[in-house]
Amino acid sequence: LLQKWQVKYQFNGIISDNRYGLYHAEVSSVLITHQLALQLPWWAAGGQRLIRHLLYRLVNQFRQIWVPDVAETNLSLAGRLSHPDVLPQSPVTYLGILSRMQPALHSTAERTGLLISLSGPEPQRTLLENKLIKALPTVGEKIWLVRGLPLSTETLAGLPPHAEAFNHLPALQLQQLMQQCRLMICRSGYSTLMDAFITQTPIAAVPTPGQTEQEYLAAYLFQKKWAAFMPQGRLEVPALIGTAPQYQWPPLHPAAGLNTAAIDAWLDSL
């Protein structure tokens, strides 16, 4: 399909967002990905070198690789996913943290309330939602539940008076809650983590079962003391909330800003 589009539209450049097959040999093609290494389940760990070889055969078709993370390994949000031992042959540029949210502003206002942000595939989204709803009466503070259902018109019944549910929220309203709450319980998808870091929102991560990337990221941030973490199968909400104050993001730093110089240089080369 891309070959046909190139004949019709004559693209000068192509940016592929984590689509390893979307490139053109005659056009300057850039791949955006934080996964220069794939996190395999434990039983497949012996195939890591083979998987890397196959992955890099695709990655090296691109003229450049842009990684939405910082170059400094000690400040990396993606850990070994974006900083593998062996890099691909195509030039790798770290773009900084990409987020639809605005950076957190210094404020003396105390953060209050619990934000629950759900996302991801069914049935795991509903399973986590049901577990959390059962625990809401034990949480003695304001709760906002964002269900991650943008197409739903359902009204969630049976919530305690101090809880408010939204099927979906626009980015600006979600950002306001993220900058107001004292803790956000969420999945550990990479986009969610970048948003939380930029807004400096303390998080408690509950990775989607079976999604090895999320499981790795949650454990990695937990080890760095940047986020609380508990597997869904052993989830105890009061305990998770209770341990969360021990974890906090590192302060925003210049390296996290968007690397506009790399983007401008590529555009100028077209």
Side-chain angles (χ1 to χ4, degrees):
L1 181 59
L2 181 58
Q3 310 298 325
K4 294 180 180 179
W5 283 357
Q6 178 61 24
V7 172
K8 182 177 181 180
Y9 297 108
Q10 294 293 297
F11 300 122
N12 294 319
I14 297 170
I15 298 178
S16 174
D17 184 5
N18 218 38
R19 299 295 184 266
Y20 297 100
L22 190 68
Y23 64 88
H24 195 289
E26 299 175 3
V27 182
S28 181
S29 302
V30 174
L31 174 66
I32 298 181
T33 182
H34 67 281
Q35 291 183 291
L36 296 179
L38 299 181
Q39 183 65 27
L40 301 180
W42 65 268
W43 49 264
Q48 191 72 53
R49 293 183 64 180
L50 174 61
I51 295 300
R52 183 179 65 199
H53 172 74
L54 296 174
L55 176 65
Y56 281 9
R57 284 183 61 183
L58 296 173
V59 167
N60 286 327
Q61 302 297 320
F62 292 85
R63 304 275 182 88
Q64 295 186 43
I65 313 300
W66 291 351
V67 179
D69 199 358
V70 298
E72 293 83 350
T73 55
N74 63 313
L75 295 173
S76 168
L77 290 191
R80 65 171 178 257
L81 300 184
S82 61
H83 290 274
D85 294 335
V86 179
L87 290 173
Q89 293 179 354
S90 296
V92 173
T93 299
Y94 291 90
L95 284 187
I97 305 303
L98 301 184
S99 173
R100 56 183 173 156
M101 305 301 181
Q102 295 299 313
L105 299 177
H106 177 72
S107 174
T108 58
E110 182 181 1
R111 284 179 173 266
T112 59
L114 174 67
L115 172 61
I116 299 172
S117 180
L118 300 177
S119 59
E122 298 291 1
Q124 295 299 338
R125 191 212 64 84
T126 297
L127 291 174
L128 178 57
E129 180 179 72
N130 290 340
K131 281 193 171 189
L132 292 169
I133 288 175
K134 289 180 180 179
L136 294 187
T138 68
V139 179
E141 60 185 317
K142 177 66 179 179
I143 301 167
W144 300 279
L145 169 60
V146 182
R147 306 180 67 205
L149 299 173
L151 301 180
S152 175
T153 59
E154 175 190 6
T155 299
L156 192 61
L159 295 179
H162 59 288
E164 186 176 5
F166 308 89
N167 289 327
H168 176 71
L169 283 180
L172 180 58
Q173 289 178 255
L174 181 60
Q175 175 178 306
Q176 291 170 343
L177 290 181
M178 291 177 69
Q179 292 179 332
Q180 177 180 345
C181 71
R182 73 170 184 89
L183 178 67
M184 178 171 72
I185 298 179
C186 59
R187 295 300 194 189
S188 47
Y190 193 57
S191 294
T192 299
L193 299 181
M194 289 193 292
D195 288 346
F197 172 71
I198 288 297
T199 57
Q200 293 285 280
T201 304
I203 68 167
V206 184
T208 302
Q211 291 198 10
T212 52
E213 178 200 354
Q214 287 197 20
E215 291 169 344
Y216 165 75
L217 287 171
Y220 167 74
L221 295 181
F222 178 77
Q223 184 181 32
K224 298 280 284 185
K225 296 289 186 180
W226 290 352
F229 156 54
M230 192 172 288
Q232 183 171 309
R234 302 199 303 270
L235 181 60
E236 296 182 10
V237 177
L240 180 61
I241 294 174
T243 61
Q246 304 174 34
Y247 304 89
Q248 61 181 357
W249 293 110
L252 289 176
H253 44 82
L258 182 62
N259 186 351
T260 55
I263 299 173
D264 290 341
W266 179 73
L267 291 172
D268 291 340
S269 72
L270 300 180

